[in-house]
């Protein structure tokens, strides 16, 4: 049933062979083929631009007022590529290996290898577009390191890498709009996929300004709609990030893979109160230069700077000497939780640890600057002053953001941080060609489950989104569309469009008709609490079973008591939110089901029943070496399909960062 | 703290709007300005009224979506800060806060505090890019770029396209936004081949969209949340003059 269509041959030859033999569409025929791209973040903008350049007729959609505002814009730290500019032993194989290992051996070898192969082209493409990456004094590109690896392969633009990459893709996209190859629909939200004779042939969307429902035809549909971290209510995702597009596709036959694989990022600004609407990330790149610690004494009430060196517990350096502060995210997050649960947390809520820059500010940057400027025997104050200037260049915007939010100056006192929901490795199941289990329906970027297994390494999401959009889909989509050159555009009066639109309309009418008492926001918050407490950093059988019951009850209550003011045929933000939250509630149930079914720990999925004596995640490869691809069978009813993971190149071992 | 809010309410682009007054209670200084609006909106929903529509997404000061004109200043009182990063520490108990949408002919109001900023996308379409198709690129290190130039280019590229510069300008000029894009690309060797046509086309589009002329008052720089510098406008003017003298397309 599940055919991942991995090409035959040796791992390192698969992609080259595939490209050499894939079917092509000639330029004249491309102009007759229409492609729908839902979402214009890094994955969608790069795909839409590249397909437009090839000559396809592209229609692209986003819910913001401009493609430049997609959630990708917020990515901070950087993007990986196996360039080996640093001469420190990097290679395609090493990037491939690190990613598979970082993902705790739950991703597909062939896809990850392709990603590593393509990574270098992405940097070249971005530089050519004018992405102003950080550079060394010699004018060449600079690199920093990220968690889970021992080489420096991350390219960056201060703490605004996502912004710069997205602007590059956005500009390429707008160029195609100007050339008439892409039509851009902003403030549009997809509400359904239209499937005709087993093939995706279009979408229904709501014009968010007028409230009208619209029908759009395409020979193929690409979903590039991002991740679903907001199911937890509080996350580092943008407020509008949602699962609706992927979820509607799921209900139309696309399998949802590994939904429980979520990434909790170790370094975020902690929750302060109930009013909080979102959590803010402090980039992983800060772990290059920041050291994480808690006091050795329980309930130590002293201020951070008053705690002497020998009374601090640098617990990551203590537990994982080989990787220290740069262990992968799942490991770092659990270690922070462990310390806080044991009573060593800091700050008013005791749910925080310190991220301290003083040591490197003085010893790394301060000393280097002093020696550059020929200052002999500098005192500590001079070192701090010099170090600050360098740190400002590297991370200035993050430090400013921290200060605006907390009112504290991180150059003077250590940051307080705590793990928060950040990224979703799970997503729509796709084969090697990025096609879902519905013909003609593709998923790219964070919306698919593809490359990160049970835990994503830092700076690899931007890489994957752009790989999918710039370099994979232009080939794999052609392989499908070559068979569609005889298909004339289907009029949107077709009964399948009628039926889809009717379904969407009925749901909206139903939502507006409830006229209950509780706000959408209040339901979303409650869902988030259930998910965070029972399907968050640590999970167990009993908790997951309870969560499923609670979510079912919440769904009932939502559909009986939600209050949505305003009208349908106008801009109505509450209605938009209600549509999204209704889908999140359904997804939440599936996530818990998936987490319950996977009775092992791997990567970000930590089942308390399955751990080593030292409290590390314990995999069970005999039973769970598969991708769980869930098929929708009706309300609260799913069938599990398994894609077995076969490792030809790498031998899975227990991950060790000690 | 307890606050009085005077907020612009407007049903859609075809109706006339007006100010309405609201009271909010129990606002903590740790909240962001938008979280204060969340509290107000929850309160309005509770009372069976319509919440206030406003644009926002990342709430991290980077997407450029949030856009409130607060007490006579785009993005409010804090320097170099977007509306979403403004925190309630900036206000005190009993304050009255006046909140309006961006006002400019090129940015029509869609609803309440939400405006239509697609004119910015049109300006980018006119030339705010480097014409390089996917797959055409040479190695990223093939052309070294002077670090200072790269840094200046990055500083200009930090523009988030929020439109505060337009909202602050008495002529509703989009010059700071356009100059940031022109500088970002012109400072890089990759952007050089299209330097001349880019600036001409973007300026022409800016005029077409109904933005006003720049009279160098500097109001834009003062409110820009990304501290985009007026030097970019000087650079644009140079580029523009250079292009009009040498371009055979004039
Ligand atoms: C704060 C933060 C920092 C990060 N930093 C890094 C980093 O340093 N390095 C790294 O590699 N990764 C990072 N990531 C992860 C990375 O940014 C994302 O995984 C990636 O950008 C996702 O890109 P995307 O194109 O798949 O989706 P998105 O950028 O989320 O885009 C989704 C698009 O889909 C549209 N959309 C969604 N639903 C609908 C619908 N129903 N109808 C119409 N349109 C819809 C949206 O409008 C948007 O255009 C970070 C993430 C966060 C939250
Ligand atoms: S120049 Fe500044 S104020 Fe103007 S759009 Fe850009 S970031 Fe906003
Ligand atoms: S909401 Fe994104 S910049 Fe304010």
């Amino acid at each position: 049933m599940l055919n991942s269509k991995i090409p035959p041959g040796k791992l390192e030859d698969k992609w080259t062979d595939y490209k050499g033999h894939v079917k092509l569409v000639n330029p004249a025929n491309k102009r007759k083929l229409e492609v729908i791209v839902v979402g214009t973040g890094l994955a969608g903008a790069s795909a839409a631009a590249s397909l437009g350049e090839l000559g396809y007729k592209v229609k692209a959609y986003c819910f913001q007022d401009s493609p430049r505002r997609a959630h990708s814009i917020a990515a901070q730290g950087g993007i990986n590529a196996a360039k080996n500019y640093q001469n420190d032993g990097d290679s395609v194989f090493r990037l491939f290996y690190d990613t598979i290992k970082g993902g705790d051996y739950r991703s597909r070898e062939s896809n990850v290898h392709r990603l590593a192969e393509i990574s270098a082209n992405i940097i070249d493409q971005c530089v050519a577009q004018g992405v102003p990456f950080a550079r060394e004094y010699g004018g060449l590109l600079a690199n920093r390191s990220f968690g889970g690896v021992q080489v420096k392969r991350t390219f960056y633009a201060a703490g605004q890498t996502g912004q710069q990459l997205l602007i590059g893709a956005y500009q390429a996209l707008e160029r195609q709009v100007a050339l008439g190859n892409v039509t851009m629909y902003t403030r549009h939200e997809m509400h359904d996929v239209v499937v005709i004779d087993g093939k995706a042939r279009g979408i229904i969307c709501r014009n968010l300004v007028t409230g009208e429902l619209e029908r759009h035809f395409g020979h193929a549909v690409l979903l590039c709609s991002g991740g679903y971290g907001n199911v937890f209510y509080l996350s580092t995702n943008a407020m509008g990030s949602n699962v609706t597009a992927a979820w509607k596709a799921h209900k139309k036959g696309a399998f949802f893979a590994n939904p429980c694989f979520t990434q909790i990022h170790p370094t975020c600004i902690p929750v302060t109160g109930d009013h909080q609407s979102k959590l803010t990330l402090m980039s992983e790149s800060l772990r290059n230069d920041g050291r994480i610690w808690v006091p050795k004494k329980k309930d130590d009430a002293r201020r951070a700077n008053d705690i002497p060196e020998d009374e601090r517990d640098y617990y990551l350096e203590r537990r994982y000497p080989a990787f220290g502060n740069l262990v992968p995210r799942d490991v770092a997050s659990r270690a922070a939780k462990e310390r806080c649960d044991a009573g060593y947390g800091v700050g008013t809520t005791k749910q925080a640890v310190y991220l301290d820059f003083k040591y490197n500010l003085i010893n790394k940057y301060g000393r280097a600057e002093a020696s550059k400027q020929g200052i002999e025997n500098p005192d500590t104050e001079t070192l701090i002053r010099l170090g600050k200037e360098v740190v400002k260049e590297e991370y200035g915007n993050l430090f400013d953001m921290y200060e605006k939010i907390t009112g504290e100056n991180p150059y003077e006192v250590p940051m307080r941080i705590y793990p928060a929901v950040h990224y979703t490795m799970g997503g729509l199941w796709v084969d090697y060609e990025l096609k879902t289990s519905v013909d003609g329906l593709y998923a790219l970027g964070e919306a698919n489950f593809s490359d990160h297994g049970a835990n994503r390494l830092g700076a690899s999401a931007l890489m994957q989104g752009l790989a999918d959009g710039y370099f994979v889909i232009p080939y794999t989509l052609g392989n499908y569309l070559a068979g569609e050159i005889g298909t004339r555009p289907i009029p949107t009066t077709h009964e399948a469009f009628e039926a889809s639109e009717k379904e969407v309309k009925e749901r909206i009418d139903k939502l507006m008709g409830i006229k209950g008492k509780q706000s959408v926001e209040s339901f979303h918050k409650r869902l988030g609490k259930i998910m965070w407490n029972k399907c968050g950093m640590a999970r167990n059988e009993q908790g997951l079973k309870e969560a499923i019951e609670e979510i079912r009850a919440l769904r009932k209550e939502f559909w009986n008591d939600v209050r949505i003011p305003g009208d349908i045929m106008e801009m109505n933000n509450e209605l938009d939110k209600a549509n999204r939250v209704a889908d999140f509630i359904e997804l939440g149930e599936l996530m818990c089901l998936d987490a319950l079914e996977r009775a092992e720990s791997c990567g970000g999925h930590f089942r308390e029943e399955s751990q080593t004596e030292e409290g590390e995640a314990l995999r069970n490869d005999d039973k769970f070496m598969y991708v769980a691809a869930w098929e929708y069978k009706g309300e609260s009813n799913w069938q599990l399909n398994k894609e077995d993971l076969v490792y030809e190149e790498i031998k899975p071992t227990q991950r060790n960062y000690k | 703290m307890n606050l009085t809010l005077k907020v612009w309410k407007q049903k859609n682009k075809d109706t006339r709007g007006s100010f309405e007054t609201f009271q909010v209670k129990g606002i903590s200084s740790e909240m962001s300005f938008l979280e204060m609006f969340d509290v107000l909106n929850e309160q309005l929903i509770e009372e069976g009224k319509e919440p206030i529509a406003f644009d926002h997404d990342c709430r991290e000061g980077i997407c450029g979506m949030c856009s409130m004109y607060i007490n006579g200043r785009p993005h409010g009182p804090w320097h170099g800060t977007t509306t979403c990063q403004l925190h309630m520490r900036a206000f005190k108990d009993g304050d009255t806060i006046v909140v309006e949408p961006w006002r400019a002919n090129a940015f029509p109001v869609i609803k309440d505090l939400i405006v239509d900023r697609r004119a910015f996308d049109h300006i980018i379409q006119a030339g705010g890019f480097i014409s390089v198709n996917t797959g055409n690129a040479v190695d990223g290190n093939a052309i070294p770029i002077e670090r200072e130039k790269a840094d200046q280019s990055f500083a200009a590229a930090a523009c988030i396209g929020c439109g505060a510069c337009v909202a602050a300008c008495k002529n509703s000029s989009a010059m700071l936004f356009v100059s940031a894009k022109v500088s970002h690309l012109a400072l890089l060797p990759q952007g050089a081949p299209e330097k001349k046509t880019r600036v001409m086309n973007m300026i022409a589009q800016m005029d077409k969209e109904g933005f006003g002329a720049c009279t160098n008052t500097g109001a834009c720089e003062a409110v820009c949340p990304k501290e985009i510098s007026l030097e970019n406008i000087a650079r644009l003017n140079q580029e523009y003059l250079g292009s009009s003298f040498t371009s055979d397309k004039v």
Side-chain angles (χ1 to χ4, degrees):
Chain A
M1 178 82 196
L2 272 179
N3 179 2
S4 46
K5 290 201 254 147
I6 300 169
K10 278 171 57 187
L11 187 62
E12 57 273 28
D13 299 332
K14 284 181 197 291
W15 180 233
T16 311
D17 285 351
Y18 176 91
K19 285 192 292 181
H21 296 101
V22 70
K23 281 185 244 159
L24 300 175
V25 181
N26 82 24
N29 283 329
K30 283 198 185 103
R31 277 192 285 277
K32 292 185 215 146
L33 293 167
E34 298 180 46
V35 181
I36 284 177
V37 181
V38 179
T40 46
L42 281 178
S46 58
S50 304
L51 295 170
E53 288 161 8
L54 287 172
Y56 292 110
K57 266 169 83 177
V58 178
K59 291 181 258 189
Y61 303 79
C62 72
F63 65 75
Q64 292 93 343
D65 70 335
S66 165
R68 69 178 295 149
R69 311 211 195 278
H71 165 59
S72 294
I73 201 93
Q76 300 173 348
I79 174 167
N80 289 329
K83 280 283 198 186
N84 194 29
Y85 284 155
Q86 304 300 328
N87 195 30
D88 58 357
D90 202 7
S91 63
V92 167
F93 181 81
R94 206 175 280 277
L95 174 52
F96 157 72
Y97 175 79
D98 287 343
T99 308
I100 293 270
K101 176 185 172 194
D104 217 357
Y105 307 96
R106 289 294 175 267
S107 44
R108 203 187 276 151
E109 271 192 337
S110 55
N111 285 52
V112 176
H113 199 276
R114 173 176 67 190
L115 177 65
E117 286 172 58
I118 290 172
S119 64
N121 305 33
I122 299 172
I123 301 304
D124 302 340
Q125 184 63 31
C126 294
V127 169
Q129 288 171 343
V131 171
F133 284 119
R135 289 181 181 264
E136 305 289 354
Y137 281 105
L140 302 179
L141 294 161
N143 290 119
R144 54 169 56 142
S145 41
F146 258 62
V149 303
Q150 290 170 312
V151 295
K152 274 165 87 168
R153 64 159 75 98
T154 306
F155 295 79
Y156 63 99
Q160 283 145 265
T161 316
Q163 180 196 28
Q164 295 308 317
L165 295 175
L166 183 62
I167 286 180
Y170 156 74
Q171 289 173 184
L173 172 67
E174 294 296 354
R175 175 171 161 251
Q176 292 307 308
V177 172
L179 292 169
N181 298 328
V182 177
T183 311
M184 185 69 219
Y185 298 85
T186 58
R187 295 201 199 264
H188 273 63
E189 183 137 319
M190 185 200 109
H191 279 253
D192 205 8
V193 185
V194 179
V195 180
I196 300 175
D197 299 331
K199 291 179 174 173
R201 291 301 191 192
I203 59 170
I204 305 292
C205 48
R206 182 164 182 271
N207 178 328
L208 300 182
V209 177
T210 63
E212 262 158 297
L213 293 180
E214 299 174 4
R215 307 171 186 184
H216 296 265
F217 164 81
H219 288 88
V221 176
L222 276 46
L223 299 183
C224 313
S225 47
Y228 52 86
N230 276 347
V231 66
F232 290 88
Y233 185 71
L234 285 181
S235 86
T236 62
N237 289 10
M239 301 298 288
S241 296
N242 68 87
V243 77
T244 291
W247 195 250
K248 292 300 160 54
H250 174 54
K251 287 178 130 177
K252 280 285 170 81
F255 296 174
F256 211 105
N258 301 335
C260 83
F261 286 173
T262 39
Q263 177 161 79
I264 316 275
H265 197 296
T267 53
C268 304
I269 301 179
V271 179
T272 52
D274 243 5
H275 61 268
Q276 203 135 355
S277 58
K278 75 157 290 171
L279 296 171
T280 302
L281 176 75
M282 287 288 111
S283 167
E284 174 162 313
S285 56
L286 294 174
R287 282 200 272 145
N288 268 307
D289 292 315
R291 298 174 71 196
I292 294 179
W293 62 276
V294 291
K296 281 189 180 160
K297 223 168 63 191
K298 261 189 201 179
D299 298 317
D300 195 331
R302 286 175 293 178
R303 291 196 323 223
N305 286 339
D306 296 339
I307 300 178
E309 199 51 38
D310 60 347
E311 292 179 43
R312 300 174 174 192
D313 177 14
Y314 294 92
Y315 58 86
L316 288 177
E317 297 169 32
R318 169 171 59 78
R319 283 178 68 178
Y320 308 99
F323 282 70
N325 291 294
L326 284 175
V327 290
R329 292 175 177 178
D330 53 336
V331 178
S333 288
R334 273 197 295 279
K337 180 177 180 335
E338 187 276 327
R339 282 292 81 189
C340 293
D341 289 353
Y344 296 92
V346 300
T348 43
T349 59
K350 302 283 171 207
Q351 291 290 303
V353 300
Y354 289 126
L355 177 60
D356 195 339
F357 298 93
K358 202 150 207 174
Y359 181 84
N360 281 314
L361 204 129
I362 298 175
N363 292 299
K364 184 166 150 193
Y365 294 119
R367 283 199 198 286
E369 273 305 298
S371 115
K372 231 189 262 170
Q373 300 183 11
I375 306 173
E376 276 176 45
N377 299 324
D379 55 20
T380 313
E381 233 159 77
T382 314
L383 289 174
I384 291 183
R385 181 174 53 78
L386 295 171
K388 259 188 201 168
E389 283 163 25
V390 186
V391 168
K392 206 179 180 93
E393 256 177 46
E394 293 273 318
Y395 313 110
N397 67 320
L398 300 177
F399 277 54
D400 291 348
M401 188 148 72
Y402 183 86
E403 187 169 358
K404 273 174 200 155
I405 294 172
T406 62
E408 284 177 3
N409 178 352
Y411 292 102
E412 307 289 338
V413 291
M415 288 183 178
R416 275 175 295 114
I417 50 147
Y418 196 71
V421 173
H422 178 60
Y423 181 87
T424 49
M425 282 76 69
L428 292 175
W429 182 88
V430 290
D431 63 17
Y432 188 75
E433 298 186 305
L434 304 182
K435 185 148 79 180
T436 68
S437 44
V438 175
D439 216 13
L441 182 66
Y442 293 76
L444 283 66
E446 195 175 335
N448 72 27
F449 88 104
S450 68
D451 301 344
H452 308 294
N455 173 58
R456 174 174 71 78
L457 288 183
S460 286
L462 302 181
M463 169 173 72
Q464 182 227 328
L466 290 179
D468 288 358
Y470 283 135
F471 296 108
V472 178
I473 201 72
Y475 290 93
T476 61
L477 186 65
N479 201 33
Y480 173 73
L481 289 177
E484 294 291 329
I485 51 178
T487 309
R488 300 262 287 281
I490 300 171
T492 53
T493 46
H494 187 285
E495 59 189 20
F497 277 96
E498 294 266 350
S500 262
E501 187 185 306
K502 185 160 167 274
E503 217 177 290
V504 173
K505 186 177 177 305
E506 281 172 1
R507 180 165 124 138
I508 290 175
D509 289 342
K510 191 169 166 198
L511 279 169
M512 291 301 292
I514 298 168
K515 300 194 189 306
K517 285 194 291 297
Q518 304 175 59
S519 71
V520 178
E521 203 74 8
S522 66
F523 280 105
H524 196 178
K525 276 190 186 172
R526 281 165 65 193
L527 173 67
K529 285 228 167 86
I530 301 174
M531 295 302 293
W532 179 248
N533 290 334
K534 297 188 168 157
C535 197
M537 263 194 282
R539 302 148 178 198
N540 62 52
E541 184 180 337
Q542 193 200 338
L544 289 165
K545 285 184 170 157
E546 286 165 8
I548 290 174
E549 290 311 313
E550 289 169 31
I551 293 170
R552 286 183 182 168
L554 188 72
R555 190 181 65 215
K556 256 206 198 110
E557 200 179 325
F558 175 89
W559 283 99
N560 279 308
D561 199 32
V562 73
R563 169 181 292 180
I564 308 167
D567 296 318
I568 297 176
M569 296 309 285
E570 63 170 2
M571 178 174 258
N572 187 336
N573 297 339
E574 285 299 309
L575 175 57
D576 303 342
K577 270 200 288 189
N579 268 308
R580 294 170 188 166
V581 171
D583 294 334
F584 275 138
I585 294 176
E586 293 178 20
L587 166 75
E589 182 177 344
L590 178 62
M591 288 170 72
C592 294
L593 179 63
D594 184 45
L596 183 63
E597 209 277 335
R598 193 174 281 278
E600 65 159 350
S601 295
C602 58
H605 169 64
F606 190 71
R607 278 289 298 264
E608 287 168 351
E609 301 91 334
S610 182
Q611 50 181 305
T612 66
E613 269 170 29
E614 292 153 316
E616 305 292 341
L618 183 62
R619 287 200 325 267
N620 182 344
D621 289 347
D622 293 338
K623 279 179 84 176
F624 295 103
M625 192 80 121
Y626 61 76
V627 175
W630 296 91
E631 185 176 352
Y632 185 76
K633 291 281 184 192
E635 196 177 300
S636 291
N637 186 8
W638 286 274
Q639 182 184 316
L640 174 61
N641 301 283
K642 296 178 183 173
E643 177 196 340
D644 289 323
L645 291 167
V646 183
Y647 287 93
E648 291 173 350
E649 194 73 27
I650 287 182
K651 206 174 137 343
T653 52
Q654 197 64 34
R655 275 190 319 173
N656 181 1
Y657 292 97
K658 300 195 183 242
Chain B
M1 56 184 122
N2 302 331
L3 302 160
T4 304
L5 288 164
K6 288 199 167 126
V7 184
W8 187 259
K9 290 284 291 173
Q10 181 171 339
K11 193 161 173 54
N12 56 42
K13 74 176 192 327
D14 303 319
T15 50
R16 282 178 57 188
S18 61
F19 282 104
E20 269 182 48
T21 305
F22 306 93
Q23 307 293 334
V24 277
K25 293 198 180 72
I27 299 298
S28 88
S29 61
E30 280 172 354
M31 286 183 190
S32 72
F33 196 76
L34 295 184
E35 283 166 353
M36 184 269 291
F37 260 78
D38 292 342
V39 171
L40 171 60
N41 275 348
E42 285 298 289
Q43 185 184 312
L44 291 173
I45 293 168
E46 171 95 357
E47 291 165 7
K49 298 191 187 127
E50 256 203 76
I52 299 158
F54 61 91
D55 259 337
H56 66 114
D57 199 21
C58 73
R59 296 204 176 185
E60 287 190 7
I62 194 78
C63 73
M65 194 103 178
C66 60
S67 44
M68 293 186 187
Y69 197 83
I70 303 162
N71 286 344
R73 210 184 128 93
H75 294 307
W78 281 1
H79 183 75
T81 306
T82 55
T83 303
C84 60
Q85 291 294 88
L86 176 64
H87 277 66
M88 296 311 291
R89 285 194 295 284
F91 301 92
K92 55 181 195 313
D93 189 39
D95 276 358
T96 297
I97 309 175
V98 184
V99 187
E100 297 169 74
W102 286 175
R103 308 256 186 215
N105 282 338
F107 290 162
V109 173
I110 296 177
K111 183 173 186 175
D112 299 345
L113 302 172
I114 298 182
V115 298
D116 184 349
R117 283 172 289 194
R118 278 177 299 178
F120 270 8
D121 288 341
H122 301 155
I123 295 177
I124 299 297
Q125 283 158 22
F129 47 75
I130 291 173
S131 298
V132 51
N133 281 0
T134 305
N136 280 350
V138 296
D139 184 85
N141 262 347
I143 310 170
I145 303 177
E146 227 180 297
R147 181 165 164 172
E148 205 185 311
K149 281 259 168 71
D151 287 349
Q152 283 174 350
S153 169
F154 169 74
C159 163
I160 56 175
C162 62
C165 44
V166 176
C169 176
K170 65 180 168 46
N171 309 321
S172 301
S173 171
M175 204 57 151
L176 194 62
F177 168 77
V178 176
S179 72
K181 188 47 58 194
V182 166
S183 293
H184 160 209
L185 298 173
L187 282 161
L188 299 170
Q190 288 83 0
E194 291 166 288
K195 238 165 121 149
K196 290 181 181 162
T197 48
R198 176 181 307 121
V199 64
M200 304 291 286
N201 292 342
M202 288 180 74
I203 294 284
Q205 190 66 36
M206 177 178 96
D207 294 342
K208 222 159 101 188
E209 297 292 334
F211 292 103
C214 172
T215 51
N216 286 314
T217 63
C220 50
E221 184 191 48
V223 303
C224 171
K226 296 294 131 177
E227 301 175 357
I228 302 292
S229 147
L230 284 178
E231 279 167 33
N232 291 300
I233 298 190
R235 200 174 289 117
L236 177 144
N237 285 331
Q238 265 170 18
E239 298 277 336
Y240 189 76
L241 279 177
S243 308
S244 358
F245 284 132
T246 53
S247 169
D248 33 358
K249 285 195 197 140
V250 179

